[in-house]
Amino acid sequence: MDAWWMCEVPYPHVPKDVLDAADSVRASLPNRWCDPRVAAGLFDEVIDEYLLCDEMGLNIGATEHHAGINSLLGANPMLVSILARQTRKARILSLGTLISLRREPVRVAEEYATADVISRGRLELGFVKSGGTEMASANANPVNNIERYWEAIDLIGKALTHQDGAFSWEGKHFTHRHVNIWPRPWQERFRMWAATGDPHTAAEVGRRGMVHTLVLRGHEGTRRAYAAYRTARAEAGLAPVSTDNFAYSAFVSVGDTDEEGVRVGEKLLWFLNTSLKSAPQYAQLLPGTAPPHIAGQAWRTRPKPQSGGPNLVNAEKGVATAQENALKLMSTTVEQAMAQGIMFAGNPDSVYAQIKKFHDDVGGFGHLTIIGRTGFMTHAESEKNIRLLGTEVLPRLKAIAPMTPTLEQAA
């Protein structure tokens, strides 16, 4: 199993009374609450932490979000290119540029190609469906977002691999009469990733043979999404794939003791408890966010569950929508996060055991993407976490070999 460390460079320094009064901490919170001097210090710390990952043998990943306290990374290729130059060994995962928001996928391909050349072939490409607040920030139409997503991936993929002069692209959503990018990338072929939890998109990821990553979906949601991937391949007559085609993203906090790992790990929950707050116009009321056959259900106010927390079972075969998942996560405690498999925390032995058990429970995956810093976690705490991950946990994860289970074995 490979491990990838990432930080979204959050901005947790907005006063609590401001956050409490805001209807959304993404998209519409005034940027006067973001001090550029504080932001510069955060970037310095996080880039240094990425460089430490390179020293410790961890791969690294960078995300992208817009106009919110959850992340200051509004331009993924900028950080990816910095890391491409400053690191030496780590593979670099872009997870990733929000391509359905960009009006020029060819420009994205040029950015990726340049970063790949700078890194001498260490770049991996990940694609994420844009969230509701991102639509407002980019002045994008949420309707047909998924169609734009897949077409942009196709156009970027062709631009990165075509070497025989200019070609023309006449698609449903993108038109480009002359595509011929320079420099061409270092790699002949890129491994491509996609982050999604719903079964419809998971099935398409499977048919395309991309690496399928689940973010904070827990045991049941991960099993179901992975099953949709495998089933779609089988129904299309495609060969089974190994666990190297599956990834899982969770919070990870390693301390010298269980108490330390859990105590520091609790700071990571700021991402859930605070930075997910979003107004309805950016979520369930946003046109196009729910398929027509369940849109009515998404718009209704649901009765509160009797016990056991929010009910995530819905019309989408038991896999929660992103909004439902966010509502559940906002009230999560550290004990609940660990029980649900969205946080692995403790001493090195405990963390490895938790990861291995989750891996076995969901049918296996070949990549762990680690949300290693967020909220008020300090630079020193983050560096200690990285060092313990690299020296005490990573060698044991590396020993987990890929396997190719049957549909029945993976269920």
Side-chain angles (χ1 to χ4, degrees), residues 2-42:
D2 285 330
W4 309 72
W5 187 91
M6 60 177 59
C7 174
E8 296 191 335
V9 196
Y11 191 91
H13 304 292
V14 179
K16 185 177 184 302
D17 60 329
V18 174
L19 298 178
D20 290 343
D23 65 345
S24 176
V25 299
R26 305 185 182 199
S28 54
L29 190 69
N31 65 8
R32 67 173 176 271
W33 297 110
C34 178
D35 185 332
R37 291 169 291 276
V38 174
L42 290 171

Side-chain angles (χ1 to χ4, degrees), residues 199 202-207 227-238 407:
E204 181 62 19
V205 174
R207 286 186 287 267
Y229 181 111
R230 291 188 171 101
T231 300
R233 288 190 64 82
E235 291 175 349
L238 299 170
L407 282 175

Side-chain angles (χ1 to χ4, degrees), residues 297 299-307 309-313 324 327:
Q297 175 185 332
W299 294 335
R300 293 189 186 100
T301 300
R302 292 179 176 80
K304 293 182 178 179
Q306 298 299 311
S307 62
N311 180 11
L312 293 187
V313 178
E324 286 175 318
L327 290 173

